[in-house]
Amino acid sequence: MAQPLVKKDDDYDDEEEYSPFLGIEKGTVLQEARVFNDPQLDTRKCSQVITKLLYLLNQGETFTKVEATEVFFGVTKLFQSRDIELRRMVYLMIKELSPSSDDVIIVTSSLMKDMNSKNDMYRANAIRVLCRITDGTLLTQIERYLKQAIVDKNPVVASAALVSGIHLLQTNPEIVKRWSNEVQEAVQSRAPLVQFHALGLLHQIRQNDRLAVNKLVSSLTRGTARSPLAQCLLVRYASQVASESANSQTGERPLYDFLESCLRHKSEMVILEAARAIAELNGVTSREVTPAITVLQLFLNSPKPVLRFAAIRTLNKVAMTHPMAVTNCNIDMESLISDQNRSIATLAITTLLKTGNESSVDRLMKQITNFMSDIADEFKIVVVDAIRSLCLKFPLKYRSLMNFLCNILREEGGFEYKKVIVDSIVILIRDIPEAKENGLLHLCEFIEDCEFTYLSTQILHFLGIEGPKASDPSKYIRYIYNRVHLENATVRACAVSTLAKFAVMVDSLKPRIYVLLRRCLFDSDDEVRDRATLYLKTLGAEGSIVENEEDVQEILFGSLDLPLSNLETSLKNYEPSEEPFHLDSVSKEIKSQPLAEKKGSGKKSKGLGVPPTTLTSSVDAYEKMLRSIEEFSDFGKLFKSSASMELTEAETEYAVNVVKHIFDRHVVFQYNCTNTIPEQLLENVNVIVDASEAEEFSEVVSKPLRSLPYNTPGQTFVAFEKPDGVAAVGKFSNMLKFIVKEIDPSTGEAEDDGVEDEYQLEDVEVVAADYMLKVVVSNFKNAWESVGEDGERVDEYGLGPRGSLAEAVRAVVDLLGMQPCEGTEVVPSNLRSHTCLLSGVFIGNVRVLARLSFGLDASREVAMKLVVRSDDETVSDLIHEIISSG
């Protein structure tokens, strides 16, 4: 050992981790390593020193090249010892040191000698080490020995060669693929580990050949896999083949019979693997999954915790898609609620919540109440999510479920746990009207003792929206006003806004709230006083509203549909003048990356024609630049500038990218060019654009670039006219034309004569998404209601087969170019339905909102219901046209 074990004191804390390596220092161990050079080797002491060195390496300690070389040479001297245990330590040390190619030569002869030794332990370890430290040149020399080792009668040697082949396949695939015959023979071995490793290597060799994989799996499913480990691998490969080869028309699923037969295997691990594979098949039906559920139900009563956990975890996944098929296991799962393993108990509860019926809710809630105090927050969050889903499934049971959530809300817990509970209560209040009164009152009681500022402000904001709609709004005023006195400045300011919302929505409360707001004028915080002053002025004397109703609603309930960073930039750039600052001057566009960003020094400049600028000021910078060009000065206000798109491949002679600038009646292509050849000067640089596939566009201006020196970005522009306010689309082909002049290396001056040349660029497309600005909406529900139903259009679409709902959501969002709201672009795994909310502003400053409802059936076909609202019904129709034609 690295240091003698000492007797622990009687009062030593048994739970404290004890390490025999405590206090080891690298310098001391390197001094001890000199024992490797002693004429008379002390094998026990050498083993202790190697153990310490291995410990240091595995703890992340780094050795300098000199230190590593000295240790390596010292370790190689230990090959003279015949002690088997020391030799195994030597093998480990050489593998961990990973010597350089120069040093490997020294130890290669010793390892090759061991590889041909009569001692099988030497042979196996020598193969592992050689394959770890060798390069391609040496590998070809020992390839013959490795092939022989793969079919060796000793399973330890054969497994060592196979595992080495799996690792070598990553670095020398061509050599390893030549071993297919030997590996195929090893697959028939009677040794369990040899068959397991051989099957894994053979599959990796053939994994890029689908037909070969199918043939391999089909041949082995006839019963040649004797090892349970190999059988588990075969089940996984068969599941993959079955999913890829399933016929959606006839419903036939190859290899399902094999998977179903594995449910009757004598090995428990194979049964579990087969059950999990069947449950995870794409589009699996209730009939197909029933045999798997039957065997999993038997494992629920197993005395082995690992089997109970594996069974309940698989059933939990099945319950997401086939809850009715799992109901037969409910009695067995209820017995697991009291399981000593908390992970098993949590999975049992969440599965029961998914599969239970309305009559079992009350019984489940009683069991869960006793269970919650014994588990950690991470498990509690899972339970709360399941309870929320159950309440939405059985709304008539809202009272008991809401009371449960409100009770655990008052118990101890961390922020994430409390946030999930609050979010669940909010969702239930919104979706179940009968739960509003009880839920709001419990939230008010919670903020009395809430220690989290974020949760307090979110609850107050929600109270301001839902509280005034309650049957008796006055009972919430006391809770809200208490926050003005007893909380930090952030919560106090939010409470002032909530009071003002009650005043506007409930006429009878205006005089009372007016008095309360006046008291807030003496608060110590500027934000609180400013808000109180604003709302008092808005409400007028004794609560009478001085502003018109529409303005008041906008002040209190309107969402700021602007990126805050854009607003900040515009305010900083505003120069005091007779013309007041207006929000209409702030860009609503959301940019994903800075326009003048360079990916690193030494890379080609994108040359965007605007000075290095912040993310939010890029649109303003583009607009200033375009207005300064006489040809574009009368195009009007710039609506949108796209992200730059590369038109040339990396590391080519000329780097060109394009930015599309969208105006009401024009589209301007800004071609950013960079000359990467030091010996050339380009003159009269322009882009010839062919718009034959863009019939609605006509070219009006082409502005060439006079000169383009080496590595100095420059811009050339081409402008097209289009119908006013129309989302015209089309494809444009581009040819870069210029005059090349050679640079005299002695003087650095360009020659007088030049040669005309041209360079083909990638095509540019103007698509419908180019006419849509991504706009943030802080409260989608309020924005949706404010637009109204006049401009609403609804239709349903089939999106065809998709790998997942997330893929379908991404495709539609990209097609429309709108901004996802409230995080709805994220699709949780295993869901078969999802709703995504989008917002944007269409060209002409037309506000657009969309609600997309996706559904995924058993054959992976995706259907979508699209509801669009906008200020202009023609724009709503256009959004539907984009989907139907896209």
Side-chain angles (χ1 to χ4, degrees):
M1 298 296 292
Q3 128 180 353
L5 286 170
V6 295
K7 184 179 179 181
K8 298 182 183 180
D9 296 332
D10 293 337
D11 59 350
Y12 188 88
D13 186 358
D14 291 337
E15 295 183 1
E16 185 177 344
E17 186 177 357
Y18 178 75
S19 171
F21 303 103
L22 194 64
I24 285 181
E25 294 182 357
K26 183 177 77 169
T28 305
V29 178
L30 290 175
Q31 291 289 333
E32 294 177 3
R34 294 179 179 177
V35 71
F36 300 155
N37 300 316
D38 290 350
Q40 296 295 324
L41 288 177
D42 185 338
T43 57
R44 179 178 175 80
K45 192 171 183 179
C46 288
S47 294
Q48 289 179 347
V49 174
I50 292 178
T51 302
K52 293 180 183 180
L53 288 168
L54 290 170
Y55 172 78
L56 290 172
L57 288 169
N58 281 280
Q59 291 298 308
E61 191 74 56
T62 56
F63 289 3
T64 65
K65 187 174 182 179
V66 174
E67 292 170 343
T69 302
E70 288 181 357
V71 171
F72 174 73
F73 279 110
V75 169
T76 56
K77 294 179 180 179
L78 300 181
F79 274 103
Q80 60 185 308
S81 172
R82 296 186 178 276
D83 186 88
I84 295 178
E85 295 302 323
L86 179 59
R87 182 67 60 89
R88 296 180 68 183
M89 298 297 290
V90 169
Y91 291 137
L92 282 174
M93 196 65 211
I94 293 174
K95 282 175 63 179
E96 290 298 324
L97 283 174
S98 298
S100 63
S101 56
D102 295 334
D103 297 337
V104 166
I105 300 172
I106 300 169
V107 76
T108 299
S109 58
S110 298
L111 290 172
M112 291 186 69
K113 183 179 178 182
D114 283 356
M115 196 167 66
N116 294 289
S117 169
K118 293 181 180 180
N119 188 317
D120 289 332
M121 192 59 67
Y122 283 6
R123 293 171 61 202
N125 283 301
I127 288 171
R128 291 177 185 272
V129 177
L130 262 175
C131 292
R132 173 70 176 269
I133 65 175
T134 191
D135 57 13
T137 305
L138 180 60
L139 186 60
T140 55
Q141 298 177 21
I142 63 172
E143 182 181 3
R144 178 168 59 90
Y145 300 105
L146 293 174
K147 284 184 176 183
Q148 293 173 354
I150 289 174
V151 294
D152 196 274
K153 293 181 180 179
N154 188 297
V156 177
V157 176
S159 279
L162 289 165
V163 171
S164 298
I166 292 173
H167 293 303
L168 288 170
L169 193 63
Q170 311 302 319
T171 54
N172 296 277
E174 296 304 321
I175 294 178
V176 178
K177 288 178 181 178
R178 297 201 293 258
W179 307 350
S180 293
N181 292 336
E182 288 76 13
V183 177
Q184 183 76 54
E185 185 178 341
V187 170
Q188 309 304 321
S189 171
R190 292 183 175 274
L193 275 178
V194 174
Q195 191 176 50
F196 169 65
H197 290 138
L199 179 56
L201 177 56
L202 191 59
H203 181 267
Q204 285 196 31
I205 290 173
R206 299 181 179 180
Q207 62 183 349
N208 295 323
D209 186 345
R210 184 173 172 179
L211 186 62
V213 171
N214 290 355
K215 189 175 180 181
L216 169 66
V217 172
S218 298
S219 64
L220 291 175
T221 53
R222 300 188 183 100
T224 54
R226 304 179 186 86
S227 161
L229 286 170
Q231 189 76 4
C232 285
L233 266 187
L234 185 57
V235 167
R236 293 185 182 182
Y237 301 152
S239 172
Q240 181 183 353
V241 172
S243 295
E244 293 174 350
S245 307
N247 191 323
S248 58
Q249 301 296 327
T250 63
E252 294 181 2
R253 195 187 298 276
L255 298 176
Y256 173 80
D257 291 340
F258 166 73
L259 294 175
E260 197 267 340
S261 68
C262 290
L263 296 175
R264 297 182 290 276
H265 198 276
K266 60 183 179 181
S267 171
E268 292 167 339
M269 75 168 77
V270 175
I271 296 173
L272 280 171
E273 190 67 37
R276 186 182 64 84
I278 292 174
E280 293 180 356
L281 286 173
N282 290 336
V284 65
T285 63
S286 298
R287 181 184 62 82
E288 290 174 330
V289 83
T290 298
I293 293 174
T294 302
V295 298
L296 292 171
Q297 185 176 5
L298 298 175
F299 284 140
L300 292 177
N301 300 307
S302 170
K304 301 177 182 178
V306 66
L307 292 181
R308 297 198 303 273
F309 175 78
I312 191 63
R313 185 174 67 170
T314 305
L315 287 172
N316 185 276
K317 292 180 180 179
V318 175
M320 294 179 182
T321 52
H322 299 282
M324 296 306 297
V326 186
T327 52
N328 292 335
C329 306
N330 281 4
I331 295 176
D332 300 284
M333 289 190 290
E334 284 190 30
S335 65
L336 295 180
I337 294 178
S338 57
D339 197 285
Q340 293 181 348
N341 187 305
R342 296 291 85 185
S343 297
I344 295 175
T346 304
L347 285 167
I349 283 180
T350 53
T351 309
L352 283 167
L353 290 173
K354 294 170 186 172
T355 61
N357 53 40
E358 198 164 358
S359 61
S360 65
V361 170
D362 293 330
R363 185 178 75 255
L364 281 174
M365 298 315 297
K366 289 180 182 178
Q367 293 177 293
I368 293 173
T369 302
N370 301 326
F371 165 80
M372 291 292 282
S373 59
D374 299 330
I375 60 176
D377 279 4
E378 58 182 316
F379 296 126
K380 292 179 181 177
I381 290 173
V382 177
V383 175
V384 170
D385 285 336
I387 289 173
R388 178 181 65 204
S389 300
L390 185 68
C391 193
L392 294 174
K393 183 179 179 181
F394 303 120
L396 294 178
K397 290 293 181 180
Y398 79 88
R399 194 177 300 278
S400 60
L401 295 171
M402 178 69 83
N403 287 338
F404 173 81
L405 291 174
C406 295
N407 288 335
I408 61 175
L409 186 60
R410 288 190 286 268
E411 296 175 358
E412 293 294 324
F415 170 75
E416 290 297 333
Y417 173 48
K418 297 287 187 179
K419 182 178 181 297
V420 169
I421 300 174
V422 170
D423 290 343
S424 299
I425 294 174
V426 166
I427 290 172
L428 297 183
I429 291 173
R430 283 178 174 171
D431 293 355
I432 306 175
E434 296 82 0
K436 179 181 291 186
E437 301 289 339
N438 190 23
L440 288 176
L441 196 57
H442 281 297
L443 289 178
C444 287
E445 292 172 353
F446 170 65
I447 59 173
E448 295 276 280
D449 302 312
C450 181
E451 57 184 310
F452 303 111
T453 298
Y454 174 82
L455 291 182
S456 295
T457 56
Q458 292 300 302
I459 292 172
L460 287 169
H461 175 70
F462 182 68
L463 279 172
I465 297 172
E466 297 293 335
K469 302 174 186 176
S471 58
D472 184 13
S474 61
K475 62 184 176 183
Y476 307 119
I477 300 299
R478 172 174 64 86
Y479 295 102
I480 298 169
Y481 186 64
N482 283 345
R483 300 305 95 213
V484 177
H485 294 292
L486 304 175
E487 289 284 1
N488 57 51
T490 303
V491 178
R492 296 202 306 272
C494 189
V496 168
S497 297
T498 304
L499 287 172
K501 292 176 182 178
F502 271 78
V504 171
M505 298 288 287
V506 186
D507 291 338
S508 60
L509 294 177
K510 289 173 186 173
R512 177 183 172 189
I513 292 176
Y514 182 83
V515 175
L516 297 178
L517 289 175
R518 291 199 61 174
R519 295 176 185 173
C520 297
L521 295 174
F522 304 99
D523 194 274
S524 59
D525 183 71
D526 291 342
E527 176 74 12
V528 177
R529 293 197 305 272
D530 289 347
R531 290 196 185 196
T533 303
L534 171 64
Y535 299 140
L536 283 170
K537 183 178 179 182
T538 304
L539 293 172
E542 301 300 325
S544 61
I545 297 178
V546 296
E547 304 281 351
N548 64 59
E549 188 70 24
E550 185 178 342
D551 290 341
V552 174
Q553 291 285 339
E554 182 64 27
I555 291 174
L556 289 171
F557 298 99
S559 59
L560 186 65
D561 297 339
L562 298 170
L564 292 179
S565 52
N566 290 13
L567 177 60
E568 179 186 4
T569 302
S570 296
L571 287 170
K572 288 180 177 178
N573 295 337
Y574 173 69
E575 297 177 359
S577 63
E578 294 181 0
E579 184 179 350
F581 177 82
H582 201 280
L583 289 178
D584 290 342
S585 64
V586 181
S587 171
K588 296 181 179 181
E589 186 172 10
I590 301 171
K591 285 288 182 179
S592 59
Q593 64 179 14
L595 288 174
E597 178 185 13
K598 294 183 182 179
K599 294 186 178 179
S601 58
K603 298 275 182 88
K604 290 180 284 190
S605 169
K606 290 185 180 294
L608 298 179
V610 287
T613 180
T614 62
L615 176 69
T616 57
S617 62
S618 56
V619 177
D620 293 336
Y622 276 140
E623 185 159 24
K624 288 180 180 179
M625 178 191 66
L626 292 169
R627 281 184 178 177
S628 67
I629 300 174
E630 183 180 354
E631 291 86 343
F632 309 141
S633 59
D634 60 348
F635 281 8
K637 183 173 177 59
L638 176 64
F639 175 71
K640 177 182 178 180
S641 295
S642 72
S644 61
M645 184 183 77
E646 297 294 337
L647 301 183
T648 55
E649 295 181 359
E651 310 303 329
T652 54
E653 305 97 307
Y654 312 109
V656 182
N657 63 66
V658 66
V659 177
K660 293 174 282 187
H661 303 296
I662 309 297
F663 295 85
D664 285 342
R665 296 183 56 194
H666 298 86
V667 174
V668 177
F669 296 120
Q670 175 186 333
Y671 297 93
N672 305 302
C673 310
T674 303
N675 172 20
T676 63
I677 304 177
E679 299 83 9
Q680 289 184 356
L681 170 69
L682 306 186
E683 291 186 349
N684 195 24
V685 180
N686 65 332
V687 177
I688 305 301
V689 182
D690 180 4
S692 58
E693 295 184 57
E695 297 178 354
E696 295 183 87
F697 294 85
S698 58
E699 184 174 331
V700 290
V701 176
S702 177
K703 186 174 177 59
L705 177 62
R706 182 177 299 175
S707 176
L708 188 63
Y710 164 68
N711 209 31
T712 302
Q715 297 77 40
T716 177
F717 300 85
V718 180
F720 284 84
E721 189 174 22
K722 67 177 187 64
D724 189 7
V726 175
V729 297
K731 182 186 288 187
F732 302 81
S733 59
N734 306 279
M735 178 73 73
L736 183 68
K737 289 202 171 186
F738 46 85
I739 297 174
V740 181
K741 292 186 176 181
E742 298 295 329
I743 301 292
D744 188 339
S746 59
T747 62
E749 297 293 330
E751 297 178 356
D752 294 334
D753 297 328
V755 179
E756 289 189 4
D757 200 355
E758 60 185 31
Y759 191 86
Q760 184 65 51
L761 305 176
E762 297 288 337
D763 293 344
V764 178
E765 284 191 76
V766 174
V767 295
D770 289 324
Y771 298 98
M772 183 73 72
L773 276 179
K774 292 183 177 181
V775 173
V776 176
V777 172
S778 57
N779 189 317
F780 188 87
K781 183 180 179 181
N782 284 351
W784 183 263
E785 292 175 353
S786 67
V787 174
E789 299 181 1
D790 293 341
E792 181 176 292
R793 295 291 183 271
V794 184
D795 207 344
E796 296 182 357
Y797 302 91
L799 303 183
R802 301 277 177 169
S804 65
L805 277 183
E807 178 187 330
V809 171
R810 283 195 302 271
V812 176
V813 171
D814 291 343
L815 180 63
L816 294 178
M818 299 175 71
Q819 173 68 25
C821 301
E822 301 178 5
T824 54
E825 74 277 15
V826 179
V827 183
S829 58
N830 299 318
L831 283 189
R832 292 189 172 271
S833 62
H834 182 70
T835 298
C836 182
L837 310 175
L838 304 178
S839 67
V841 171
F842 195 72
I843 189 167
N845 207 31
V846 180
R847 183 171 46 161
V848 185
L849 299 172
R851 191 192 300 269
L852 295 78
S853 301
F854 295 87
L856 183 69
D857 65 15
S859 60
R860 315 303 291 177
E861 294 279 340
V862 176
M864 180 185 73
K865 179 181 179 182
L866 173 62
V867 186
V868 181
R869 287 187 179 183
S870 73
D871 297 330
D872 185 345
E873 59 187 27
T874 59
V875 174
S876 298
D877 292 331
L878 181 61
I879 298 299
H880 280 281
E881 288 177 15
I882 294 172
I883 294 295
S884 59
S885 61

